[in-house]
Amino acid sequence: MPVTCVIGTQWGDEGKGKIIDLISSRADVVVRYQGGANAGHTVKVRDQKFVFHLIPSGILHGKINVIGNGVVVDPAQLLAEIEEFSTRGVKVEGNLFVSELAHVVFPYHKAMDKLSEGRRGGARIGTTGRGIGPAYADRATRAGIRLAELFDRDHFARRVHANVAERNVIMKALYDGPPLDADAIVEEYYGYAQRLKPFVTDTVRLLRRALNSGRYVFVEGAQGVLLDVDFGTYPFVTSSNASTFGVGIGSGLPPRRLDEVMGVTKAYTTRVGEGPFPTEDLGETGEYLRKKGGEFGATTGRPRRCGWFDGVAMRFAVDLLSCDSIALTKVDVLTGLDELKICTAYRVNGEVVHDYPTNPLLSSQCEPIYETLPGWSEETRGARRFEDLPARCRQYIEAIERMIGRPIGLVSVGPDREETIYR
Ligand code: GDP
Ligand code: IMO
Ligand code: MG
């Protein structure tokens, strides 16, 4: 059976949660491989709304769900999600497995995240404040603590004390921040570890066994390729490889086993946090999209920046990710706009450029060149076949398809499961 990756092609919030929920009904295993509780994936099922930060969006279908070793895990957040979904009747225990190799997010990570953002002033990244950057930094400098280490109390206490002693010096010197209490952290986190014990395991082996016994594995992307630490708009990115390149590293799945990549792309563009966004619309259209599309962060509640579809960035993204097909979401939000613009090229320093500049110093200087298409006024949420969509809406979708050179196999016309067109 294949391994399919479902992944965001923009700056996150493309509607991955909805798509993963839809197609994970066909999966045996759903695995997250990177990011942490910075993610917010929304799934709507009739009148119920579920927001996933750490637990994969496949949990609603009773599949095996894996939080891979590449995810940075905030145990309090994970326990809160386990409790919330269990209370709402979702079977979590027995279906959720967390890698013992996953790095743990500690209070000093969150404190450093917020303090360093404050210090950056105008150059801030606009992080989610979930401690993601500092936790990944610790992984790289080998100061990180992994879930498996939490179960040996003496060992764990020694490591926390060493880290907290160092962080307290840094926080005092740089930010005049209050010191953290290492004993209190050990106590709190040792408690979390006891509650998480039934979920923590060797997920590399679990996934290998699943593959060997012919199970269908789904890989759930978080964030989007333009937030990838290597290929995104650095430094305005997250701290992990959100692109497909992170899959092997963050899960232990063999890279050669990734058979299929489905990109999730919003029919316009949004971004939350700072950084270049060539097609951003600061006027009426941006406001229209934000309001009609409910573009407010699922994790932080921040208003998302909104703008036109960026065909240049998307060509780059789908090529880099090797997308086989695209799920185009939120098409319904565009109803009511007189005309629609698609960015087909950039002007950079007076020159017309058709290729997305991988040098982020240039991406902040890109001026969009647009092709304008006529809009439509008919509602599309009731459409279930491509032919049901207004002709101008189909034209818009086909224009995107031509521009990015990938088939749009699924069109989403509303947040609910049924509001979906399969082509
Ligand atoms: P994710 O992070 O990629 O999973 O996306 P988010 O959940 O952060 O944001 C997507 C939002 O759009 C959620 O509120 C979804 O319920 C909603 N959504 C998903 N698909 C559609 C769609 O086709 N139309 C509309 N109107 N909303 C959608
Ligand atoms: P999902 O999975 C949108 C953004 C933050 C900020 C930058 C760095 O829901 O699509 P971080 O806290 O990761 O250090 O913040 O990345 N960001 C996201 N934006 N969707 C997400 O996840 C995001 N996760 C991080 O807003 O600009
Ligand atoms: Mg989101």
Side-chain angles (χ1 to χ4, degrees):
M1 286 294 267
V3 178
T4 297
C5 181
V6 178
I7 192 156
T9 67
Q10 292 156 318
W11 280 289
D13 303 327
E14 296 90 349
K16 298 176 291 293
K18 166 175 169 166
I19 304 302
I20 289 155
D21 167 72
L22 269 184
I23 53 186
S24 61
S25 61
R26 290 190 276 132
D28 297 302
V29 181
V30 182
V31 51
R32 262 205 52 195
Y33 63 93
Q34 61 81 40
N38 49 352
H41 298 174
T42 314
V43 178
K44 246 194 110 224
V45 187
R46 290 178 292 279
D47 54 348
Q48 289 214 69
K49 184 172 137 182
F50 299 86
V51 181
F52 300 93
H53 299 288
L54 282 167
I55 297 183
S57 310
I59 200 87
L60 299 180
H61 290 285
K63 307 298 166 126
I64 299 297
N65 285 262
V66 173
I67 297 179
N69 56 281
V71 175
V72 287
V73 175
D74 178 340
Q77 170 66 36
L78 179 56
L79 284 162
E81 277 179 54
I82 292 172
E83 198 174 304
E84 183 199 333
F85 297 130
S86 303
T87 315
R88 294 173 71 182
V90 180
K91 178 172 163 18
V92 180
E93 200 162 336
N95 283 348
L96 177 69
F97 298 94
V98 188
S99 171
E100 60 190 1
L101 301 183
H103 281 257
V104 177
V105 177
F106 286 98
Y108 46 84
H109 294 132
K110 290 191 244 184
M112 297 283 274
D113 192 356
K114 288 181 184 139
L115 290 169
S116 60
E117 277 283 272
R119 198 177 151 87
R120 284 187 194 111
R124 73 183 183 282
I125 292 163
T127 72
T128 59
R130 298 293 184 107
I132 306 298
Y136 278 115
D138 272 4
R139 177 175 84 162
T141 61
R142 291 147 294 178
I145 301 177
R146 309 203 275 190
L147 272 173
E149 295 180 72
L150 267 58
F151 299 105
D152 177 338
R153 191 172 173 131
D154 292 339
H155 163 89
F156 174 52
R158 272 196 304 278
R159 296 221 58 209
V160 170
H161 273 271
N163 278 352
V164 169
E166 186 190 82
R167 301 312 140 98
N168 280 345
V169 173
I170 296 171
M171 288 200 286
K172 176 77 189 147
L174 284 180
Y175 314 108
D176 205 18
L180 293 165
D181 177 349
D183 284 327
I185 295 175
V186 172
E187 193 61 34
E188 181 185 344
Y189 277 63
Y190 190 71
Y192 294 148
Q194 303 319 302
R195 290 164 62 197
L196 283 175
K197 214 172 211 160
F199 302 94
V200 177
T201 189
D202 176 354
T203 56
V204 175
R205 194 169 59 195
L206 183 156
L207 289 172
R208 201 55 66 106
R209 283 188 177 158
L211 285 184
N212 290 344
S213 52
R215 302 274 182 244
Y216 191 171
V217 177
F218 254 77
V219 180
E220 171 169 347
Q223 291 82 47
V225 62
L226 301 178
L227 287 170
D228 181 280
V229 65
D230 283 292
F231 298 108
T233 46
Y234 192 92
F236 301 98
V237 290
T238 191
S239 298
S240 53
N241 286 112
S243 61
T244 34
F245 303 103
V247 174
I249 297 282
S251 66
L253 285 168
R256 285 193 303 163
R257 287 301 313 268
L258 193 56
D259 302 288
E260 191 192 357
V261 179
M262 180 193 276
V264 184
T265 305
K266 206 179 274 190
Y268 49 95
T269 313
T270 64
R271 167 162 213 175
V272 55
E274 307 303 318
F277 180 177
T279 63
E280 180 171 18
D281 187 292
L282 296 167
E284 265 175 39
T285 305
E287 194 50 45
Y288 184 89
L289 295 170
R290 185 156 39 248
K291 212 164 159 211
K292 187 140 193 253
E295 298 295 355
F296 296 88
T299 297
T300 59
R302 290 179 290 177
R304 294 174 182 153
R305 299 157 64 194
C306 297
W308 298 113
F309 189 85
D310 187 339
V312 186
M314 283 312 92
R315 245 186 343 244
F316 162 76
V318 303
D319 275 351
L320 188 74
L321 297 172
S322 337
C323 289
D324 297 292
S325 69
I326 297 295
L328 191 71
T329 61
K330 304 194 89 159
V331 169
D332 54 299
V333 175
L334 298 175
T335 289
L337 289 165
D338 293 335
E339 47 183 37
L340 298 165
K341 292 189 199 172
I342 296 180
C343 171
T344 55
Y346 297 139
R347 189 165 283 112
V348 186
N349 298 324
E351 253 182 73
V352 176
V353 173
H354 292 275
D355 289 321
Y356 181 81
T358 51
N359 174 357
L361 290 176
L362 291 179
S363 57
S364 59
Q365 298 164 32
C366 291
E367 273 175 62
I369 299 173
Y370 289 115
E371 178 186 327
T372 303
L373 282 86
W376 60 90
S377 56
E378 303 92 325
E379 286 299 337
T380 57
R381 287 183 68 164
R384 295 295 172 265
R385 294 172 312 157
F386 194 62
E387 303 77 61
D388 297 341
L389 291 170
R392 286 172 168 180
C393 176
R394 296 201 302 268
Q395 269 167 26
Y396 179 76
I397 294 170
E398 283 161 356
I400 289 179
E401 200 166 42
R402 271 195 307 279
M403 160 141 279
I404 64 179
R406 295 294 192 285
I408 294 173
L410 188 157
V411 178
S412 175
V413 290
D416 279 298
R417 281 177 175 164
E418 306 77 59
E419 291 171 316
T420 307
I421 297 169
Y422 299 92
R423 283 174 86 199

